[in-house]
Structures are given as structure tokens and as C-alpha cells.
Amino acid sequence: MDTTYDERLAAFSRERLDGYPVPDDLRVLLLAHWEGRTDFAHLLGLEFFDEGELHPFLDTAYLSEQELADPEMQAVNAGVARMVEYVQLVAKGGKGWVGYWVHPDEPVRRPIELDAEFTLWQMTGASLTEAMAFEQAAYQDEPDERVAFGRLAAELDALLPLGAADYDSLDDSAYVVDPEKLMEALTEAERVARGLG
């Protein structure tokens, strides 16, 4: 691999994954993106973050000065900002943004998505590619999602074989730690710390 890509992958790991190694499927997707190939983006509906782009949990630019000064909003923003440690977003896609749920109590890193209302959603699949293919299967012309997923998996196979090519064999086990409950707890802790609880 080109050393330029090694450097870019290392930088991506530091900025988006807290220094963790880039998962194999994400590495293939990133290299295709950096090479200007659009095949994956078309099939999976992903748009990778630009370097230096803020994590949505840290971006408060959409709030007014009055909202930013409100103690309740400050508590919410602080609680949400603490979630960056556990939600490593890598791309725009799905309901808003997608990435990994990396709470230390989880046995493995799992795909997760965040919508524009800051609701966190568990994704089906062991890898980001599987999870996005599962999600994209619902938006195909084929009404049977199992058939649609099989077709997507076949198209992806030449580019990036999925670990689970069969719809029914995808990992849909629950996360050990519920992201929404954790975000509520962290926000409430911030409210209490500010004397609002």
C-alpha cells in the first residue's frame, strides 16, 4: 500500500477511532473513497467525514446564543459531548451518521447510527459494511429485503465480501450497554452537577 494511504489511515484512526486500528472493511471503503471510486458509496450510501470535521455531538453551531446560554441546554450539550468517548462516527449515511459503539463493557466494537434528533440506533450486522448493506436492502426496488440484501451482497462481493452474506445470519444481538440510557444518565449527571437536578 502507498505510504500516503498509511499516513491517511493513521490520521483517520487518531481523529475518528481514538487511535484504534481501522477495521478491515472500513479500510477498503476509505481507500476506495480516497482513490475517487464511487462504487461503495453508491451501494452503501456512505459519505466519509472530511478531515477536521466536527463530531455531531460536539457541533453546537446550529444553536442560538440564547440556547447556548441556557443552563438546561448546557447540561444536555455536556452530557452529549461525553458520549463521544463511546460513539465513534466515521461517515454520513443511514439515518444521519454511522460509526461504532465502543463502550468498554461491550465485548466487540459494533456498528451504530445517530439521527438528526441525536437518537442512537443499534445496527444489524457485525461490521459497518454488513450494517449498511442491511439498511440499504430496505430501500431497493425489491420488496423482499432478504432478496435485496442478497443482491447487494453479490454486488459487494467483488469489492468487499461480507462476513455474513445471508440476511438471516447477520448479528442482531442487543448491545450490552444501551446507548440511549447511557446518554440520558450522562445528561442527568450534568444537570445534577449544575444544580438542576
Side-chain angles (χ1 to χ4, degrees), residues 16-17 20 23 55 57 80 82-90 98-114 120-123 125-128 173-184 186:
R16 300 286 166 205
L17 303 173
Y20 282 88
H55 190 297
F57 281 158
V80 166
R82 290 177 61 189
M83 288 294 289
V84 171
E85 182 178 344
Y86 311 113
V87 180
Q88 296 174 347
L89 299 177
V90 298
V98 295
Y100 300 95
W101 175 237
V102 296
H103 192 280
D105 291 344
E106 296 291 338
V108 295
R109 301 161 74 80
R110 296 276 302 277
I112 193 167
E113 64 186 326
L114 173 69
L120 290 159
W121 299 85
Q122 178 170 328
M123 297 184 83
S127 71
L128 188 63
S173 59
Y175 298 156
V176 173
V177 177
D178 183 304
E180 282 291 299
K181 288 182 180 173
L182 178 60
M183 187 155 59
E184 287 170 17
L186 292 175

Short mmCIF file of all heavy atoms in Angstrom, two decimals, residues 16-17 20 23 55 57 80 82-90 98-114 120-123 125-128 173-184 186:
data_model
loop_
_atom_site.label_atom_id
_atom_site.label_comp_id
_atom_site.label_asym_id
_atom_site.label_seq_id
_atom_site.Cartn_x
_atom_site.Cartn_y
_atom_site.Cartn_z
N ARG A 16 -10.87 9.77 14.22
CA ARG A 16 -12.22 9.19 14.27
C ARG A 16 -12.37 7.97 15.17
O ARG A 16 -13.48 7.65 15.60
CB ARG A 16 -12.67 8.80 12.86
CG ARG A 16 -12.73 9.95 11.89
CD ARG A 16 -13.91 10.83 12.15
NE ARG A 16 -13.78 12.09 11.45
CZ ARG A 16 -14.36 13.21 11.81
NH1 ARG A 16 -15.15 13.24 12.86
NH2 ARG A 16 -14.19 14.32 11.13
N LEU A 17 -11.27 7.25 15.42
CA LEU A 17 -11.37 5.97 16.13
C LEU A 17 -10.55 5.94 17.41
O LEU A 17 -10.26 4.86 17.94
CB LEU A 17 -10.93 4.82 15.20
CG LEU A 17 -11.69 4.69 13.89
CD1 LEU A 17 -11.05 3.63 13.01
CD2 LEU A 17 -13.16 4.35 14.16
N TYR A 20 -7.65 3.51 17.59
CA TYR A 20 -7.84 2.07 17.35
C TYR A 20 -7.56 1.75 15.89
O TYR A 20 -7.76 2.59 15.02
CB TYR A 20 -9.27 1.64 17.69
CG TYR A 20 -9.50 1.47 19.16
CD1 TYR A 20 -9.90 2.54 19.95
CD2 TYR A 20 -9.32 0.23 19.78
CE1 TYR A 20 -10.11 2.41 21.31
CE2 TYR A 20 -9.53 0.08 21.14
CZ TYR A 20 -9.93 1.17 21.90
OH TYR A 20 -10.14 1.03 23.24
N PRO A 23 -10.88 -0.92 11.12
CA PRO A 23 -11.38 -2.26 10.75
C PRO A 23 -11.14 -2.54 9.27
O PRO A 23 -11.14 -1.62 8.44
CB PRO A 23 -12.87 -2.17 11.08
CG PRO A 23 -12.97 -1.10 12.13
CD PRO A 23 -11.91 -0.10 11.76
N HIS A 55 -17.32 16.09 15.21
CA HIS A 55 -18.26 15.04 15.59
C HIS A 55 -19.59 15.74 15.83
O HIS A 55 -19.64 16.80 16.48
CB HIS A 55 -17.75 14.37 16.87
CG HIS A 55 -18.47 13.13 17.25
ND1 HIS A 55 -19.82 13.11 17.57
CD2 HIS A 55 -18.04 11.85 17.39
CE1 HIS A 55 -20.17 11.87 17.89
NE2 HIS A 55 -19.12 11.09 17.77
N PHE A 57 -21.84 15.32 17.93
CA PHE A 57 -22.08 15.56 19.36
C PHE A 57 -21.35 16.80 19.87
O PHE A 57 -21.68 17.30 20.94
CB PHE A 57 -21.64 14.35 20.18
CG PHE A 57 -22.61 13.21 20.19
CD1 PHE A 57 -22.17 11.93 20.49
CD2 PHE A 57 -23.96 13.39 19.91
CE1 PHE A 57 -23.06 10.86 20.52
CE2 PHE A 57 -24.85 12.33 19.93
CZ PHE A 57 -24.40 11.06 20.23
N VAL A 80 -24.11 15.06 26.16
CA VAL A 80 -23.96 14.53 24.80
C VAL A 80 -22.47 14.50 24.41
O VAL A 80 -22.00 13.52 23.81
CB VAL A 80 -24.79 15.38 23.81
CG1 VAL A 80 -24.40 15.10 22.39
CG2 VAL A 80 -26.27 15.12 24.02
N ARG A 82 -19.98 13.99 26.27
CA ARG A 82 -19.31 12.86 26.93
C ARG A 82 -19.51 11.55 26.15
O ARG A 82 -18.73 10.61 26.30
CB ARG A 82 -19.82 12.72 28.37
CG ARG A 82 -19.34 13.87 29.26
CD ARG A 82 -19.90 13.79 30.66
NE ARG A 82 -19.48 12.57 31.34
CZ ARG A 82 -20.00 12.19 32.51
NH1 ARG A 82 -20.91 12.91 33.12
NH2 ARG A 82 -19.58 11.06 33.07
N MET A 83 -20.54 11.49 25.32
CA MET A 83 -20.81 10.29 24.53
C MET A 83 -19.80 10.07 23.42
O MET A 83 -19.70 8.97 22.88
CB MET A 83 -22.22 10.36 23.94
CG MET A 83 -23.33 10.18 24.96
SD MET A 83 -23.37 8.53 25.70
CE MET A 83 -23.94 7.54 24.31
N VAL A 84 -19.03 11.11 23.07
CA VAL A 84 -18.02 10.98 22.01
C VAL A 84 -17.04 9.84 22.34
O VAL A 84 -16.54 9.17 21.45
CB VAL A 84 -17.27 12.32 21.79
CG1 VAL A 84 -16.08 12.15 20.87
CG2 VAL A 84 -18.23 13.36 21.23
N GLU A 85 -16.82 9.61 23.61
CA GLU A 85 -15.91 8.54 24.04
C GLU A 85 -16.41 7.17 23.59
O GLU A 85 -15.63 6.26 23.37
CB GLU A 85 -15.79 8.59 25.57
CG GLU A 85 -14.86 7.57 26.15
CD GLU A 85 -14.73 7.69 27.66
OE1 GLU A 85 -15.12 8.72 28.24
OE2 GLU A 85 -14.22 6.73 28.27
N TYR A 86 -17.73 7.01 23.45
CA TYR A 86 -18.33 5.71 23.17
C TYR A 86 -18.91 5.59 21.76
O TYR A 86 -19.23 4.49 21.32
CB TYR A 86 -19.44 5.41 24.18
CG TYR A 86 -19.02 5.65 25.60
CD1 TYR A 86 -19.59 6.68 26.36
CD2 TYR A 86 -18.03 4.88 26.20
CE1 TYR A 86 -19.21 6.91 27.66
CE2 TYR A 86 -17.63 5.11 27.50
CZ TYR A 86 -18.22 6.12 28.23
OH TYR A 86 -17.82 6.36 29.51
N VAL A 87 -19.11 6.72 21.08
CA VAL A 87 -19.72 6.72 19.75
C VAL A 87 -18.71 7.33 18.78
O VAL A 87 -18.53 8.53 18.74
CB VAL A 87 -21.04 7.52 19.73
CG1 VAL A 87 -21.64 7.51 18.33
CG2 VAL A 87 -22.02 6.96 20.74
N GLN A 88 -18.05 6.46 18.02
CA GLN A 88 -17.02 6.91 17.07
C GLN A 88 -17.62 6.91 15.67
O GLN A 88 -17.72 5.88 15.01
CB GLN A 88 -15.80 6.00 17.15
CG GLN A 88 -15.13 6.06 18.50
CD GLN A 88 -14.01 5.05 18.67
OE1 GLN A 88 -13.85 4.13 17.88
NE2 GLN A 88 -13.23 5.24 19.71
N LEU A 89 -18.08 8.09 15.24
CA LEU A 89 -18.72 8.22 13.94
C LEU A 89 -17.68 8.41 12.85
O LEU A 89 -16.69 9.13 13.04
CB LEU A 89 -19.70 9.40 13.95
CG LEU A 89 -20.83 9.26 14.97
CD1 LEU A 89 -21.70 10.51 14.97
CD2 LEU A 89 -21.66 8.01 14.71
N VAL A 90 -17.90 7.76 11.70
CA VAL A 90 -16.92 7.81 10.62
C VAL A 90 -17.48 8.34 9.31
O VAL A 90 -16.73 8.69 8.41
CB VAL A 90 -16.29 6.41 10.37
CG1 VAL A 90 -15.52 5.94 11.60
CG2 VAL A 90 -17.33 5.39 9.96
N VAL A 98 -23.04 7.33 10.80
CA VAL A 98 -22.78 5.94 11.21
C VAL A 98 -21.35 5.81 11.73
O VAL A 98 -20.47 6.59 11.37
CB VAL A 98 -23.02 4.94 10.06
CG1 VAL A 98 -24.49 4.93 9.65
CG2 VAL A 98 -22.14 5.25 8.87
N GLY A 99 -21.16 4.80 12.53
CA GLY A 99 -19.84 4.55 13.09
C GLY A 99 -19.87 3.34 14.01
O GLY A 99 -20.53 2.33 13.70
N TYR A 100 -19.21 3.46 15.16
CA TYR A 100 -19.02 2.32 16.06
C TYR A 100 -19.41 2.65 17.49
O TYR A 100 -19.11 3.74 17.99
CB TYR A 100 -17.55 1.87 16.03
CG TYR A 100 -17.09 1.46 14.65
CD1 TYR A 100 -16.45 2.37 13.83
CD2 TYR A 100 -17.35 0.19 14.16
CE1 TYR A 100 -16.05 2.01 12.54
CE2 TYR A 100 -16.97 -0.17 12.88
CZ TYR A 100 -16.32 0.74 12.09
OH TYR A 100 -15.94 0.39 10.81
N TRP A 101 -20.05 1.69 18.15
CA TRP A 101 -20.37 1.75 19.57
C TRP A 101 -19.25 1.02 20.29
O TRP A 101 -19.03 -0.16 20.08
CB TRP A 101 -21.73 1.08 19.82
CG TRP A 101 -22.16 0.97 21.25
CD1 TRP A 101 -22.47 -0.17 21.91
CD2 TRP A 101 -22.36 2.04 22.18
NE1 TRP A 101 -22.86 0.11 23.19
CE2 TRP A 101 -22.79 1.47 23.38
CE3 TRP A 101 -22.20 3.43 22.11
CZ2 TRP A 101 -23.08 2.23 24.52
CZ3 TRP A 101 -22.48 4.19 23.23
CH2 TRP A 101 -22.91 3.60 24.42
N VAL A 102 -18.50 1.77 21.11
CA VAL A 102 -17.25 1.23 21.66
C VAL A 102 -17.20 1.31 23.19
O VAL A 102 -16.14 1.48 23.78
CB VAL A 102 -16.02 1.96 21.05
CG1 VAL A 102 -15.95 1.72 19.56
CG2 VAL A 102 -16.05 3.45 21.35
N HIS A 103 -18.34 1.17 23.83
CA HIS A 103 -18.35 1.18 25.30
C HIS A 103 -17.45 0.06 25.81
O HIS A 103 -17.45 -1.04 25.26
CB HIS A 103 -19.78 1.01 25.82
CG HIS A 103 -19.91 1.30 27.27
ND1 HIS A 103 -19.55 0.40 28.23
CD2 HIS A 103 -20.32 2.42 27.91
CE1 HIS A 103 -19.75 0.93 29.42
NE2 HIS A 103 -20.22 2.17 29.26
N PRO A 104 -16.67 0.32 26.87
CA PRO A 104 -15.73 -0.71 27.36
C PRO A 104 -16.39 -2.00 27.84
O PRO A 104 -15.73 -3.05 27.90
CB PRO A 104 -14.98 -0.01 28.50
CG PRO A 104 -15.77 1.20 28.84
CD PRO A 104 -16.54 1.58 27.62
N ASP A 105 -17.67 -1.97 28.18
CA ASP A 105 -18.36 -3.19 28.61
C ASP A 105 -18.83 -4.05 27.44
O ASP A 105 -19.27 -5.18 27.64
CB ASP A 105 -19.56 -2.84 29.50
CG ASP A 105 -19.14 -2.27 30.85
OD1 ASP A 105 -17.96 -2.42 31.22
OD2 ASP A 105 -20.00 -1.65 31.52
N GLU A 106 -18.73 -3.52 26.22
CA GLU A 106 -19.11 -4.30 25.05
C GLU A 106 -17.98 -5.25 24.68
O GLU A 106 -16.81 -4.85 24.67
CB GLU A 106 -19.39 -3.39 23.84
CG GLU A 106 -20.56 -2.45 24.02
CD GLU A 106 -21.91 -3.16 24.05
OE1 GLU A 106 -22.02 -4.30 23.55
OE2 GLU A 106 -22.84 -2.56 24.60
N PRO A 107 -18.28 -6.51 24.37
CA PRO A 107 -17.21 -7.45 24.01
C PRO A 107 -16.52 -7.12 22.70
O PRO A 107 -15.35 -7.41 22.52
CB PRO A 107 -17.93 -8.81 23.95
CG PRO A 107 -19.38 -8.49 23.79
CD PRO A 107 -19.60 -7.14 24.41
N VAL A 108 -17.25 -6.49 21.76
CA VAL A 108 -16.67 -6.11 20.47
C VAL A 108 -17.22 -4.75 20.06
O VAL A 108 -18.26 -4.32 20.55
CB VAL A 108 -16.98 -7.14 19.35
CG1 VAL A 108 -16.33 -8.48 19.63
CG2 VAL A 108 -18.48 -7.30 19.16
N ARG A 109 -16.51 -4.10 19.16
CA ARG A 109 -16.99 -2.84 18.59
C ARG A 109 -18.11 -3.16 17.63
O ARG A 109 -17.97 -4.01 16.77
CB ARG A 109 -15.83 -2.14 17.88
CG ARG A 109 -14.67 -1.84 18.81
CD ARG A 109 -13.37 -1.59 18.07
NE ARG A 109 -13.33 -0.31 17.42
CZ ARG A 109 -13.06 0.84 18.03
NH1 ARG A 109 -12.80 0.86 19.31
NH2 ARG A 109 -13.03 1.97 17.36
N ARG A 110 -19.23 -2.44 17.76
CA ARG A 110 -20.40 -2.73 16.93
C ARG A 110 -20.81 -1.50 16.14
O ARG A 110 -20.64 -0.38 16.61
CB ARG A 110 -21.58 -3.14 17.83
CG ARG A 110 -21.38 -4.43 18.63
CD ARG A 110 -21.71 -5.67 17.86
NE ARG A 110 -23.06 -5.71 17.37
CZ ARG A 110 -24.12 -6.09 18.08
NH1 ARG A 110 -23.98 -6.47 19.32
NH2 ARG A 110 -25.32 -6.08 17.53
N PRO A 111 -21.41 -1.68 14.96
CA PRO A 111 -21.90 -0.53 14.20
C PRO A 111 -23.06 0.14 14.93
O PRO A 111 -23.84 -0.52 15.62
CB PRO A 111 -22.36 -1.12 12.87
CG PRO A 111 -22.24 -2.59 12.97
CD PRO A 111 -21.60 -2.95 14.25
N ILE A 112 -23.15 1.47 14.76
CA ILE A 112 -24.22 2.25 15.39
C ILE A 112 -24.54 3.42 14.47
O ILE A 112 -23.69 3.82 13.66
CB ILE A 112 -23.80 2.74 16.79
CG1 ILE A 112 -25.01 3.27 17.58
CG2 ILE A 112 -22.70 3.80 16.70
CD1 ILE A 112 -24.71 3.48 19.07
N GLU A 113 -25.76 3.93 14.57
CA GLU A 113 -26.07 5.14 13.81
C GLU A 113 -26.74 6.17 14.71
O GLU A 113 -27.35 5.84 15.72
CB GLU A 113 -26.89 4.85 12.56
CG GLU A 113 -28.25 4.27 12.75
CD GLU A 113 -28.88 3.89 11.40
OE1 GLU A 113 -28.64 4.57 10.39
OE2 GLU A 113 -29.63 2.91 11.38
N LEU A 114 -26.59 7.40 14.30
CA LEU A 114 -27.12 8.55 15.02
C LEU A 114 -27.98 9.34 14.05
O LEU A 114 -27.54 9.62 12.93
CB LEU A 114 -25.95 9.42 15.51
CG LEU A 114 -26.28 10.75 16.16
CD1 LEU A 114 -26.95 10.54 17.52
CD2 LEU A 114 -25.00 11.59 16.32
N LEU A 120 -29.70 7.49 19.14
CA LEU A 120 -28.76 6.45 18.74
C LEU A 120 -29.51 5.17 18.43
O LEU A 120 -30.41 4.77 19.18
CB LEU A 120 -27.74 6.21 19.86
CG LEU A 120 -26.75 7.36 20.05
CD1 LEU A 120 -26.13 7.33 21.43
CD2 LEU A 120 -25.68 7.31 18.97
N TRP A 121 -29.14 4.53 17.33
CA TRP A 121 -29.82 3.32 16.86
C TRP A 121 -28.83 2.18 16.73
O TRP A 121 -27.78 2.33 16.11
CB TRP A 121 -30.45 3.57 15.49
CG TRP A 121 -31.48 4.66 15.50
CD1 TRP A 121 -31.25 6.00 15.37
CD2 TRP A 121 -32.88 4.51 15.63
NE1 TRP A 121 -32.43 6.69 15.42
CE2 TRP A 121 -33.45 5.79 15.58
CE3 TRP A 121 -33.72 3.41 15.79
CZ2 TRP A 121 -34.82 6.01 15.69
CZ3 TRP A 121 -35.08 3.63 15.87
CH2 TRP A 121 -35.62 4.92 15.82
N GLN A 122 -29.20 1.03 17.29
CA GLN A 122 -28.40 -0.17 17.09
C GLN A 122 -28.55 -0.61 15.64
O GLN A 122 -29.63 -0.51 15.06
CB GLN A 122 -28.89 -1.29 18.01
CG GLN A 122 -28.12 -2.58 17.80
CD GLN A 122 -28.42 -3.61 18.87
OE1 GLN A 122 -28.69 -3.27 20.01
NE2 GLN A 122 -28.33 -4.87 18.49
N MET A 123 -27.46 -1.09 15.05
CA MET A 123 -27.50 -1.56 13.68
C MET A 123 -27.33 -3.08 13.65
O MET A 123 -26.68 -3.66 14.53
CB MET A 123 -26.39 -0.90 12.86
CG MET A 123 -26.54 0.61 12.76
SD MET A 123 -25.31 1.38 11.69
CE MET A 123 -26.07 1.12 10.08
N GLY A 125 -25.73 -6.32 12.08
CA GLY A 125 -24.51 -6.67 11.35
C GLY A 125 -23.30 -6.56 12.26
O GLY A 125 -23.28 -5.74 13.18
N ALA A 126 -22.28 -7.36 11.98
CA ALA A 126 -21.07 -7.34 12.80
C ALA A 126 -20.09 -6.27 12.35
O ALA A 126 -19.25 -5.83 13.12
CB ALA A 126 -20.41 -8.72 12.77
N SER A 127 -20.18 -5.85 11.09
CA SER A 127 -19.27 -4.83 10.56
C SER A 127 -20.10 -3.67 10.02
O SER A 127 -21.31 -3.78 9.81
CB SER A 127 -18.41 -5.41 9.44
OG SER A 127 -19.21 -5.64 8.28
N LEU A 128 -19.44 -2.55 9.80
CA LEU A 128 -20.13 -1.39 9.25
C LEU A 128 -20.69 -1.70 7.86
O LEU A 128 -21.82 -1.31 7.54
CB LEU A 128 -19.16 -0.20 9.18
CG LEU A 128 -19.78 1.14 8.80
CD1 LEU A 128 -20.79 1.59 9.85
CD2 LEU A 128 -18.69 2.19 8.64
N SER A 173 -27.82 -9.16 17.80
CA SER A 173 -27.86 -9.26 19.25
C SER A 173 -27.81 -7.86 19.87
O SER A 173 -27.22 -6.93 19.31
CB SER A 173 -26.69 -10.12 19.76
OG SER A 173 -25.46 -9.56 19.35
N ALA A 174 -28.44 -7.72 21.02
CA ALA A 174 -28.51 -6.41 21.68
C ALA A 174 -27.15 -6.00 22.22
O ALA A 174 -26.32 -6.85 22.58
CB ALA A 174 -29.52 -6.48 22.83
N TYR A 175 -26.91 -4.71 22.25
CA TYR A 175 -25.70 -4.19 22.89
C TYR A 175 -25.79 -4.50 24.38
O TYR A 175 -26.88 -4.55 24.96
CB TYR A 175 -25.59 -2.68 22.72
CG TYR A 175 -25.48 -2.17 21.30
CD1 TYR A 175 -25.88 -0.87 21.02
CD2 TYR A 175 -25.00 -2.93 20.26
CE1 TYR A 175 -25.79 -0.35 19.72
CE2 TYR A 175 -24.90 -2.43 18.98
CZ TYR A 175 -25.30 -1.14 18.72
OH TYR A 175 -25.21 -0.64 17.45
N VAL A 176 -24.64 -4.67 25.02
CA VAL A 176 -24.61 -4.90 26.46
C VAL A 176 -25.05 -3.63 27.18
O VAL A 176 -25.81 -3.67 28.15
CB VAL A 176 -23.19 -5.33 26.90
CG1 VAL A 176 -23.08 -5.39 28.42
CG2 VAL A 176 -22.82 -6.67 26.28
N VAL A 177 -24.57 -2.48 26.73
CA VAL A 177 -24.93 -1.19 27.31
C VAL A 177 -25.81 -0.44 26.32
O VAL A 177 -25.43 -0.26 25.16
CB VAL A 177 -23.65 -0.36 27.62
CG1 VAL A 177 -24.02 1.02 28.16
CG2 VAL A 177 -22.76 -1.11 28.60
N ASP A 178 -26.98 0.00 26.78
CA ASP A 178 -27.91 0.72 25.92
C ASP A 178 -27.42 2.16 25.73
O ASP A 178 -27.33 2.92 26.70
CB ASP A 178 -29.30 0.72 26.59
CG ASP A 178 -30.35 1.39 25.73
OD1 ASP A 178 -30.16 2.57 25.36
OD2 ASP A 178 -31.38 0.74 25.45
N PRO A 179 -27.09 2.55 24.49
CA PRO A 179 -26.56 3.90 24.26
C PRO A 179 -27.50 5.02 24.69
O PRO A 179 -27.06 6.02 25.26
CB PRO A 179 -26.32 3.94 22.75
CG PRO A 179 -26.23 2.52 22.32
CD PRO A 179 -27.12 1.77 23.25
N GLU A 180 -28.79 4.85 24.43
CA GLU A 180 -29.75 5.90 24.79
C GLU A 180 -29.83 6.08 26.30
O GLU A 180 -29.87 7.20 26.80
CB GLU A 180 -31.14 5.56 24.23
CG GLU A 180 -31.29 5.84 22.75
CD GLU A 180 -31.27 7.34 22.45
OE1 GLU A 180 -32.13 8.07 22.95
OE2 GLU A 180 -30.36 7.76 21.72
N LYS A 181 -29.85 4.97 27.04
CA LYS A 181 -29.91 5.06 28.51
C LYS A 181 -28.64 5.69 29.06
O LYS A 181 -28.70 6.48 30.01
CB LYS A 181 -30.15 3.67 29.11
CG LYS A 181 -31.55 3.15 28.88
CD LYS A 181 -31.76 1.81 29.54
CE LYS A 181 -33.17 1.31 29.27
NZ LYS A 181 -33.38 -0.06 29.75
N LEU A 182 -27.50 5.34 28.47
CA LEU A 182 -26.25 5.94 28.93
C LEU A 182 -26.25 7.45 28.67
O LEU A 182 -25.85 8.23 29.53
CB LEU A 182 -25.05 5.28 28.24
CG LEU A 182 -23.69 5.88 28.62
CD1 LEU A 182 -23.42 5.75 30.11
CD2 LEU A 182 -22.58 5.22 27.81
N MET A 183 -26.72 7.87 27.50
CA MET A 183 -26.75 9.30 27.19
C MET A 183 -27.68 10.04 28.16
O MET A 183 -27.36 11.13 28.63
CB MET A 183 -27.17 9.54 25.74
CG MET A 183 -27.04 11.00 25.33
SD MET A 183 -26.82 11.28 23.54
CE MET A 183 -28.28 10.54 22.86
N GLU A 184 -28.81 9.43 28.49
CA GLU A 184 -29.73 10.03 29.46
C GLU A 184 -29.06 10.15 30.83
O GLU A 184 -29.18 11.18 31.51
CB GLU A 184 -31.00 9.19 29.59
CG GLU A 184 -31.93 9.28 28.40
CD GLU A 184 -33.06 8.26 28.46
OE1 GLU A 184 -33.32 7.69 29.55
OE2 GLU A 184 -33.69 8.03 27.41
N LEU A 186 -25.79 10.29 31.52
CA LEU A 186 -24.71 11.29 31.49
C LEU A 186 -25.28 12.71 31.48
O LEU A 186 -24.75 13.60 32.14
CB LEU A 186 -23.83 11.07 30.26
CG LEU A 186 -22.98 9.80 30.25
CD1 LEU A 186 -22.25 9.65 28.93
CD2 LEU A 186 -22.00 9.79 31.42
#
